[in-house]
Amino acid sequence: MGGLEISPDGGPDPVLRSSLRRLAGYRHRRCYREELAHELLHVFGAPTPLLRGAQQVGDQPMTLPVLYHLLWAGHLTTDLEYAVLGPAAVARAPDLR
């Protein structure tokens, strides 16, 4: 995420606010599954749309909570200010070199 955009009402940009609100529900450690997290990080080693990457790893009901947790925790990155977080949003694991 770049600089925090401020909306005319003085709060964060509504697009960013909506995306963060969605991810916040997955911030708890209970959403993390180590084996799925490792697979997701591998899939998102290259920029990949969220839904496509989640489907490559397994069933969406199992993979999406882990994916959203990884986004919340900063283990995956995406542009939350451009558009509301959705299935076509492109995410990537940070380059660890």
Side-chain angles (χ1 to χ4, degrees), residues 10 18 21 41-42 44 46 55 60 69 71 73 75-76 79 81 87 94:
S18 176
R21 187 177 307 120
L41 290 170
H42 177 75
F44 286 96
Q55 290 171 334
Q60 293 175 45
H69 178 81
L71 283 165
H75 299 294
L76 293 175
D79 185 354
E81 296 174 4

Side-chain angles (χ1 to χ4, degrees), residues 22-23 25 30 41 47 58 63-65 70 75 92:
R22 180 177 205 176
L23 288 177
R30 68 177 173 260
L41 290 170
T63 59
L64 284 176
L70 292 172
H75 299 294
R92 175 180 170 84

Side-chain angles (χ1 to χ4, degrees), residues 20-38:
L20 290 175
R21 187 177 307 120
R22 180 177 205 176
L23 288 177
Y26 299 93
R27 69 185 178 272
H28 303 288
R29 181 79 177 161
R30 68 177 173 260
C31 297
Y32 181 80
R33 303 280 183 266
E34 188 169 354
E35 65 284 349
L36 292 176
H38 286 293

Side-chain angles (χ1 to χ4, degrees), residues 59-95:
D59 292 333
Q60 293 175 45
M62 295 298 291
T63 59
L64 284 176
V66 180
L67 175 60
Y68 291 148
H69 178 81
L70 292 172
L71 283 165
W72 176 264
H75 299 294
L76 293 175
T77 60
T78 190
D79 185 354
L80 297 175
E81 296 174 4
Y82 175 71
V84 175
L85 187 65
V90 174
R92 175 180 170 84
D95 191 4

